[in-house]
Amino acid sequence: MATRAESAAVTRRSLLDAAAELLDEGGPEAVTLREVGARAGVTRGAPYRHFAGKDSLLTAVAAEGWERVGDRVQALRADPDLPASERLRGALRALIDVGRRQPHLYQLLFKPQGARGDGLERVRLQLCGPEGDPTAAVRAAGRFQDEFQAIVAALVGEADARHYGALLMTSAHGIAGMELSGHLDGDKWRTTADELVDTLVRMVSDASVTTWET
Amino acid sequence: MATRAESAAVTRRSLLDAAAELLDEGGPEAVTLREVGARAGVTRGAPYRHFAGKDSLLTAVAAEGWERVGDRVQALRADPDLPASERLRGALRALIDVGRRQPHLYQLLFKPQGARGDGLERVRLQLCGPEGDPTAAVRAAGRFQDEFQAIVAALVGEADARHYGALLMTSAHGIAGMELSGHLDGDKWRTTADELVDTLVRMVSDASVTTWET
DNA sequence: GAGTTTCAGATGACGTTGTCACCTCTTCGA
DNA sequence: TCGAAGAGGTGACAACGTCATCTGAAACTC
């Protein structure tokens, strides 16, 4: 029937699916190795055959999350029917949509895991393996950033793609995060994420034109 | 010497300080009620006399964090020697500085605590009391937002203060968050948070002038 | 000023969790 | 056919949040 490597791969996939499911349902606190194992049809110790521990499992979930967002942005960039501004709008919304649809996953994507910094020392990503080489999560996030930057470059040119790309990406992240945390609710701001995205696209288009030679 | 109410107030303060200290040192995971109690000179059960539980304690820490940021922005707004654009720059940097100096506290400030949403239902703040009235954390965050909005209004006018204020606040949050999570590192973007803040201030100033009548 | 109430804090206990050591049993390679 | 390898199961342990209960001193009442 199934070779050992195959069934192990199936189990690993089930574990990842169960973890992602539990994450969506109840956040990181709800992702219990025991419950993950139960949903995957194994016991509590089995996940340790596939992941170093809970953090490692969640990091793998984050990697797949980044891959999905990267795929979506790549599809936007490669769509020949879309004008450049629409591609950018779509890329910004892609990020915000994850925050809306999978808020817990979204927070995981931007969580500096295993913070080492004390005081002034910066908090560093621990998404790297023992030897320091980037893992799947870092690579997947990097691919998203490359696709995003390419979309921005098509709109504002290569020269400004880095700076304005960073501005757009961080802004989208901020919109998603504050919408998620509820700080955009109420009568205080009276604006929506979509309106903010539109303003961003317009402002960057204008600014990149007027400051093209500065 | 000390009346009972006084010593209780001292204990409460010690608990908050210990929790904030542990949060800065090792993140929310490191904030153990046992260790909090130990640092405050009491035992593990004592915090329950002052807070409903760990979440409640961390919410109180978040409230004080918001108060400090609010104080800083208020001081900027009230400073008569600062031009309007510098006040805005300072307000944006105030948020980013918290992310740099106290990354764990920063994440706590924007954490939608006690997520209830399942699936499409939005994740809601559980920073409200049993009756649903906003707690100190919500009020402190609201005051920060009011001060921030006032600073923006002085630069772009009352009419645009809401929309551009939300844009600036969310963007600053995104810059802080992505700097914190390490996604701005490396050769990919080659820009700094300060440069992004400058661009934001310039773009919003320009946009608010050119679109004043639209 | 004696008796009662109140409440901050201490203590013991319980269930849950992440993690490890150890065991079993199937599958793969020679 | 036999040994190695590795996926998975099981027992155990420490740490954690939380609660019920107890204690002792301050605060209040008469």
Side-chain angles (χ1 to χ4, degrees), chain B residues 4 8 11 34 42-46 49-50:
Chain B
R4 184 166 62 175
T11 299
R34 285 162 167 84
V42 293
T43 56
R44 66 187 186 278
R49 289 287 141 192
H50 301 271

Side-chain angles (χ1 to χ4, degrees), chain B residues 11-12 15 45-52:
Chain B
T11 299
R12 184 189 154 90
L15 290 170
Y48 287 92
R49 289 287 141 192
H50 301 271
F51 305 95

Side-chain angles (χ1 to χ4, degrees), chain A residues 57-70:
Chain A
L57 172 60
L58 284 176
T59 296
V61 172
E64 297 199 335
W66 274 119
E67 279 168 16
R68 278 195 300 275
V69 186

Side-chain angles (χ1 to χ4, degrees), chain B residues 25-41:
Chain B
E25 291 174 3
E29 318 294 317
V31 181
T32 293
L33 287 188
R34 285 162 167 84
E35 182 63 22
V36 167
R39 293 206 185 187

